[in-house]
Amino acid sequence: MRLAAAAGALRPLFFHPHRQPRRLLSSLRRSSVPLARRRRHSYSSTSTALDDAPNNSPSPTLPGPGPPPAAGGGEGKASRRRRSRDSPEGLLKHKLDMCSRDGDLPTALALYDAALDPASSPPVPLSIHHYNCLLYLCSNAAATASDPDAASRGFEIFARMEAQGVEPNEATLTSVARLAAARRDPAMAFSVVRRMADAGIPPRLRTYGPALFAYCDAGDADGASEVEAHMDAGGVLPEETELAALLRVNADKGRADEVYRVLHRTRVLARQVCETTAQVIEAWFRSDAASQAGVDKWDAKKVKEGVVKGGGGWHGQGWLGKGQWDVERSEMDKNGKCQRCGEKLVCIDIDPSETENFAKSLTELACKREVRDDFLRFQGWLRRHGPFDAVIDAANIGLYNSKAFSFSQVNSVVNGIQRVTKSKKLPLIILHRSRVHCGPAIVPHNQKLIEGWRSAGALYSTPPGSNDDWYWLYAAVSCRSLLVTNDEMRDHLFQLLGTSFFPRWKEKHQVRLTYSGRGPTFHLPPPYSIVTQESEAGRWHVPTTTGDDIENPRQWICAIRKSQRRD
């Protein structure tokens, strides 16, 4: 029996605008959560202002009228903004924003109560923004159990919002879903999401989260699967946190087929797993349900066909083998051979059409965020001088372990990577124009290096105001070349590129380096793919995010049947 049905104390919201809002949630019917209300006209400013409460006052107070708007027919934008900001609604919005920033629910509730106080002259009208701030704070406090009354107050506030005809938006309903989850009612949290979709409000991942996690925490694998299916139908992809919750609830219920499915979905969407997810996976392989899942005999030809069809690294034919699993952490040698079981990982190719599409999307993004003509000029230059076997992020290399930009350091990398590449052609050096004409660039020896690179058609200086990341990344992608940089490419710019193709491309093309007295040492892309791999013999290797730097090798989960263990 689901926890929500067993509890029975919380009912989804069904409010009538002609009734006064009440705290008695038991009086609300479970059948629906109305989301579509007639949108009222926005409230106009009134002649009162909400000032700060005196230090000795237990709650905020409403002072007298403020100054009237300036006379004279026309009112400028600045004047309108100032009048809006200084209105009671504007002052309340500012104070609630401060409460939201500080996580201060008690003060926010005091402001809310004061705004509705009949003694106010007149009461302050509340907008969607006011309600969203209050509901956000209530849902946070309810989720962390920092205020035992937070959920009740949150539902009371939402009831009043509905009664006043203020139409909720996605942020509003996300907070309501979180309130329901905090009251251990995943069914209600999910009903909010479904009704959002029915009302034409596209749910987001954060909106699904409360229902999904509440079902998982309640051990309701069927409910969690239903939420996942609804997400898929709406085109909302889970991230690692949601996938780990699905793995855990299905593993706890011994649903081997579902664990297998979600594990492969994690392989596609997350590729590597954090420590928390890794522990969930290890616990599954050590469970009795995992030892009982699988077959003693299987069609090797069908498994091989599955590997070929899937592009390598997995077959998708279900658990192979029978019996207990032997699960430990391991490392891979430079050739991708597991140091624990001897299995050699494979390199999964990238479809050339994916690279081409990625280059096109890069162009579109760069042209939106850079001066379009500048970037198109670079593309023309690249067509005339390329392709290149390697591209160097010179700003990153020149400042590696140094406060001052070092052209000699860049030059040592240029010469070193030139010897590594097949064509032995100079790599493309991307450097901002300011570094080419100022600072260390004016030193005669550095000028000689710059002129040599330029005359060889190997230097491109990006224009003032540009972000050279777009330039070196596009050059490396379009040329299918190596990219020499120690930049981990995790900032906002790279988040715009999505989470599917870019990590796979980066894994196969980024060259990182270290320096010693003998010069740079290049750490070339591994000859295997850093992604969960399922072998034709039924062995599993799952990469974690533990390690993954030059000094500390990445840790992998190695899971093999004990009957396959190497002596």
Side-chain angles (χ1 to χ4, degrees):
M1 179 181 296
R2 295 182 180 178
L3 181 60
L10 185 61
R11 302 287 194 269
L13 310 174
F14 188 84
F15 301 120
H16 299 276
H18 61 274
R19 295 181 184 173
Q20 291 296 321
R22 298 181 296 174
R23 291 195 188 187
L24 302 177
L25 295 177
S26 58
S27 67
L28 305 177
R29 294 199 324 219
R30 173 169 289 280
S31 59
S32 61
V33 183
L35 305 184
R37 292 275 184 183
R38 176 176 59 84
R39 184 184 293 277
R40 293 191 172 185
H41 296 295
S42 59
Y43 295 106
S44 60
S45 299
T46 64
S47 59
T48 59
L50 183 63
D51 289 340
D52 288 322
N55 292 335
N56 60 353
S57 175
S59 62
T61 59
L62 297 172
E75 184 181 20
K77 290 183 179 179
S79 178
R80 286 197 299 271
R81 283 197 300 268
R82 184 165 54 253
R83 186 158 59 88
S84 175
R85 183 190 62 207
D86 294 339
S87 69
E89 302 99 298
L91 292 172
L92 179 59
K93 174 182 178 296
H94 173 72
K95 293 183 179 184
L96 288 176
D97 285 343
M98 295 301 100
C99 291
S100 181
R101 183 196 66 183
D102 300 332
D104 188 353
L105 176 60
T107 300
L109 291 176
L111 289 165
Y112 169 72
D113 292 336
L116 301 183
D117 190 342
S120 300
S121 179
V124 180
L126 303 183
S127 69
I128 183 68
H129 185 91
H130 298 121
Y131 283 115
N132 279 350
C133 281
L134 290 160
L135 290 170
Y136 171 77
L137 285 165
C138 287
S139 64
N140 273 359
T144 58
S146 59
D147 186 330
D149 296 325
S152 297
R153 288 304 306 267
F155 283 119
E156 174 193 332
I157 290 167
F158 183 63
R160 187 184 189 283
M161 175 182 171
E162 287 282 284
Q164 293 298 311
V166 179
E167 186 177 352
N169 59 19
E170 183 272 335
T172 314
L173 298 167
T174 295
S175 292
V176 174
R178 294 180 68 204
L179 288 169
R183 293 289 292 266
R184 303 183 186 278
D185 193 340
M188 179 186 176
F190 190 25
S191 73
V192 172
V193 181
R194 288 198 302 266
R195 296 182 66 82
M196 281 178 67
D198 293 341
I201 305 175
R204 296 164 60 181
L205 180 59
R206 68 177 186 178
T207 321
Y208 281 103
L212 181 66
F213 294 129
Y215 274 126
C216 290
D217 291 342
D220 189 341
D222 289 330
S225 295
E226 190 178 353
V227 175
E228 184 190 10
H230 200 278
M231 292 171 61
D232 292 343
V236 178
L237 293 176
E239 295 181 354
E240 185 181 346
T241 306
E242 290 76 25
L243 292 166
L246 288 165
L247 283 171
R248 175 171 51 82
V249 70
N250 283 293
D252 290 346
K253 293 297 180 180
R255 294 159 46 119
D257 291 344
E258 280 297 290
V259 172
Y260 185 85
R261 180 189 65 80
V262 178
L263 194 54
H264 272 301
R265 196 165 196 205
T266 305
R267 175 185 60 81
V268 173
L269 297 177
R271 293 180 68 81
Q272 302 101 43
V273 300
C274 69
E275 185 61 27
T276 303
T277 309
Q279 291 174 8
V280 173
I281 295 171
E282 288 172 325
W284 158 253
F285 279 112
R286 293 189 177 110
S287 69
D288 291 337
S291 66
Q292 295 168 10
V295 292
D296 289 319
K297 296 180 180 180
W298 58 89
D299 188 337
K301 182 179 178 181
K302 191 174 182 180
V303 170
K304 182 70 174 179
E305 290 174 351
V307 171
V308 173
K309 184 178 179 181
W314 70 290
H315 53 74
Q317 301 302 305
W319 301 108
L320 303 183
K322 203 83 170 179
Q324 290 186 328
W325 292 83
D326 187 15
V327 187
E328 296 293 344
R329 297 289 176 96
S330 183
E331 298 173 3
M332 301 296 154
D333 67 13
K334 63 180 182 179
N335 296 315
K337 183 178 180 180
C338 177
Q339 299 296 283
R340 181 168 175 268
C341 73
E343 183 80 29
K344 192 173 188 304
L345 301 187
V346 302
C347 182
I348 303 171
D349 292 334
I350 294 177
D351 189 331
S353 64
E354 288 187 277
T355 303
E356 185 177 348
N357 291 335
F358 186 53
K360 290 178 180 177
S361 67
L362 266 177
T363 300
E364 292 173 2
L365 284 169
C367 286
K368 290 178 181 177
R369 288 163 175 79
E370 297 287 311
V371 176
R372 180 181 177 84
D373 289 344
D374 287 342
F375 197 78
L376 295 179
R377 190 177 299 113
F378 167 66
Q379 289 182 313
W381 182 94
L382 191 61
R383 284 191 294 270
R384 295 192 302 273
H385 293 83
F388 295 89
D389 289 336
V391 177
I392 292 182
D393 173 11
N396 178 270
I397 301 304
L399 291 170
Y400 180 82
N401 282 344
S402 175
K403 292 183 179 179
F405 188 86
S406 171
F407 276 95
S408 61
Q409 195 161 269
V410 173
N411 190 51
S412 67
V413 172
V414 168
N415 295 333
I417 201 69
Q418 183 182 13
R419 291 191 292 269
V420 170
T421 57
K422 293 180 181 179
S423 70
K424 302 298 186 287
K425 178 182 177 180
L426 275 175
L428 171 59
I429 304 155
I430 301 288
L431 194 57
H432 200 273
R433 191 171 299 170
S434 61
R435 294 208 181 272
V436 175
H437 297 288
C438 305
I442 64 176
V443 176
H445 174 71
N446 293 337
Q447 286 184 339
K448 185 176 179 180
L449 288 175
I450 292 169
E451 288 305 317
W453 296 336
R454 183 181 285 118
S455 62
L459 173 67
Y460 191 87
S461 54
T462 57
S466 65
N467 185 339
D468 55 2
D469 291 3
W470 290 111
Y471 290 79
W472 52 252
L473 181 57
Y474 174 80
V477 172
S478 61
C479 293
R480 274 71 164 173
S481 67
L482 297 174
L483 172 61
V484 185
T485 180
N486 280 340
D487 190 331
E488 289 301 325
M489 294 178 267
R490 292 173 179 161
D491 62 20
H492 175 67
L493 181 153
F494 301 104
Q495 297 303 316
L496 296 172
L497 304 175
T499 58
S500 177
F501 178 83
F502 182 58
R504 289 185 285 143
W505 181 89
K506 176 184 167 185
E507 172 189 302
K508 290 183 174 296
H509 292 268
Q510 184 180 7
V511 178
R512 294 184 288 189
L513 65 146
T514 52
Y515 279 94
S516 64
R518 294 176 294 180
T521 299
F522 297 101
H523 301 269
L524 297 171
Y528 58 93
S529 294
I530 304 174
V531 64
T532 297
Q533 298 202 19
E534 175 192 30
S535 77
E536 295 178 36
R539 298 181 179 186
W540 285 77
H541 290 87
V542 181
T544 74
T545 55
T546 303
D548 188 28
D549 56 42
I550 296 169
E551 290 78 17
N552 300 300
R554 183 188 301 273
Q555 298 296 300
W556 290 69
I557 299 171
C558 171
I560 63 174
R561 301 282 184 180
K562 288 188 175 180
S563 58
Q564 297 177 328
R565 187 168 50 192
R566 184 178 63 179
D567 295 332

